[in-house]
Amino acid sequence: MKSRAAWLGAGLAALVVGASACQDQDRSRQERTDNSPGHQVEQAQAQSEKAFDDARDAQKEASSQQREAARAQEDLQHQQQELQEAQAKAQKEAQEAQASQQQAQARTQQAQSVAQQAQASALAAQRQAQQNFATQQQQASNDSAAANQRIADQSAQQQQAANQNAATQQAAIAQNSQAPSDQNSQEQQISGDVLSASAQEVLVSQAGEPRLRLKVGPSTQVQVDGRAASAADIQEGAQVRASYRTDTSSGEPQALRIDATSRAQPAAPAPAESGESSPGAR
């Protein structure tokens, strides 16, 4: 067993030595091949092609980087242009905002001025209204006092005139009572039918013929059917008995008293002293 192991170990050692020798031969052969001129030319060509390939790759990479740089430059210019436009827009908006603010301030100041003027005008109008009201009150008070004074004066004047009229009437009555009796004629009477009657005169008829036109005045006493009335209340056809006097100045008979009855009654004979045929009869 030991001999066999020894033999195997020796075989293995021989194989290792043989392999090493073969490797040394291959390296020697390769070195001789590499050192040959043809091999060197091939290596130079391969290196040159590789260099060309590397140059082309580098050129491609440079072109790509150049294009990227150009795009980056364009992007930068575009961004710069957008930035300039944004700055210009912002500046314009800022100017517009400033102008709007100035306009708003101007309008605010104008509104404040208008409000102040309106307030001053309102205060002035209020003071003027108060002054006018006080003046009107004073004027009304003065007018009222003047009106009261006028009323008092008129009352006094009316009272004085009434007193004077009463005195005048009393004096006239006294004078008339003392005046000669020839101013008016003596009182006369007449009876007959009424042809027409008004507030100013009564036309009396006897036997169907107009006889006497009696003038009616404020002092004439008129009765119709025993009741006090006016001459206008006497109806046509009524019977009357009247007393009158003839005014010497006008020659017209003035009625003193008229008694009328609506129903026809025989007329009482006139007294002998009635003087029916007096000059004033018609």
Side-chain angles (χ1 to χ4, degrees):
M1 292 296 294
K2 292 182 179 181
S3 59
R4 186 177 179 183
W7 182 79
L8 289 173
L12 290 172
L15 289 174
V16 171
V17 172
S20 299
C22 288
Q23 289 178 354
D24 291 337
Q25 290 177 0
D26 290 335
R27 281 196 297 272
S28 298
R29 192 180 301 111
Q30 183 67 30
E31 288 176 357
R32 287 194 299 271
T33 302
D34 293 337
N35 291 329
S36 64
H39 182 70
Q40 292 178 355
V41 171
E42 290 179 357
Q43 288 181 347
Q45 288 179 350
Q47 292 177 356
S48 177
E49 291 177 357
K50 183 178 180 182
F52 281 135
D53 292 336
D54 293 339
R56 282 194 300 270
D57 294 338
Q59 184 66 29
K60 290 180 180 179
E61 183 68 22
S63 298
S64 177
Q65 292 178 357
Q66 188 175 4
R67 286 192 298 271
E68 291 179 358
R71 285 195 297 271
Q73 184 67 24
E74 290 179 357
D75 294 339
L76 178 61
Q77 291 178 356
H78 182 66
Q79 292 176 358
Q80 287 178 349
Q81 184 177 0
E82 291 180 351
L83 177 61
Q84 291 176 357
E85 291 177 353
Q87 289 177 349
K89 183 177 180 181
Q91 185 177 3
K92 181 178 179 181
E93 291 178 352
Q95 292 176 354
E96 291 178 352
Q98 185 176 3
S100 300
Q101 185 177 4
Q102 291 177 355
Q103 292 178 358
Q105 290 178 352
R107 287 195 294 268
T108 302
Q109 293 177 355
Q110 184 178 3
Q112 290 177 351
S113 177
V114 171
Q116 291 176 356
Q117 292 178 359
Q119 186 176 6
S121 299
L123 291 175
Q126 184 177 4
R127 288 194 296 269
Q128 185 65 33
Q130 292 176 351
Q131 184 177 359
N132 292 339
F133 181 70
T135 303
Q136 291 175 358
Q137 283 186 334
Q138 184 64 32
Q139 185 65 31
S141 178
N142 295 336
D143 293 343
S144 178
N148 292 333
Q149 185 63 34
R150 286 195 299 271
I151 293 173
D153 294 341
Q154 290 177 358
S155 298
Q157 291 176 359
Q158 290 175 358
Q159 184 65 33
Q160 184 178 2
N163 295 334
Q164 291 178 355
N165 290 334
T168 302
Q169 290 177 358
Q170 290 178 357
I173 292 172
Q175 184 177 1
N176 290 334
S177 63
Q178 297 176 359
S181 60
D182 58 357
Q183 284 186 351
N184 293 321
S185 62
Q186 294 181 354
E187 182 177 339
Q188 303 180 36
Q189 294 184 352
I190 186 174
S191 298
D193 299 330
V194 176
L195 294 180
S196 65
S198 66
Q200 290 78 26
E201 62 181 18
V202 176
L203 180 58
V204 181
S205 170
Q206 285 183 340
E209 296 294 333
R211 178 64 186 273
L212 187 63
R213 188 180 301 272
L214 297 175
K215 294 295 182 180
V216 179
S219 61
T220 304
Q221 297 180 3
V222 180
Q223 286 189 351
V224 177
D225 295 333
R227 294 188 300 273
S230 65
D233 296 330
I234 301 174
Q235 298 179 357
E236 182 179 351
Q239 292 182 350
V240 296
R241 180 181 180 86
S243 60
Y244 66 94
R245 283 184 183 149
T246 302
D247 192 327
T248 56
S249 60
S250 63
E252 295 180 346
Q254 300 289 332
L256 301 177
R257 179 181 178 86
I258 300 175
D259 293 326
T261 55
S262 300
R263 296 179 181 179
Q265 296 180 359
E273 67 275 14
S274 62
E276 293 177 355
S277 59
S278 62
R282 300 181 188 176

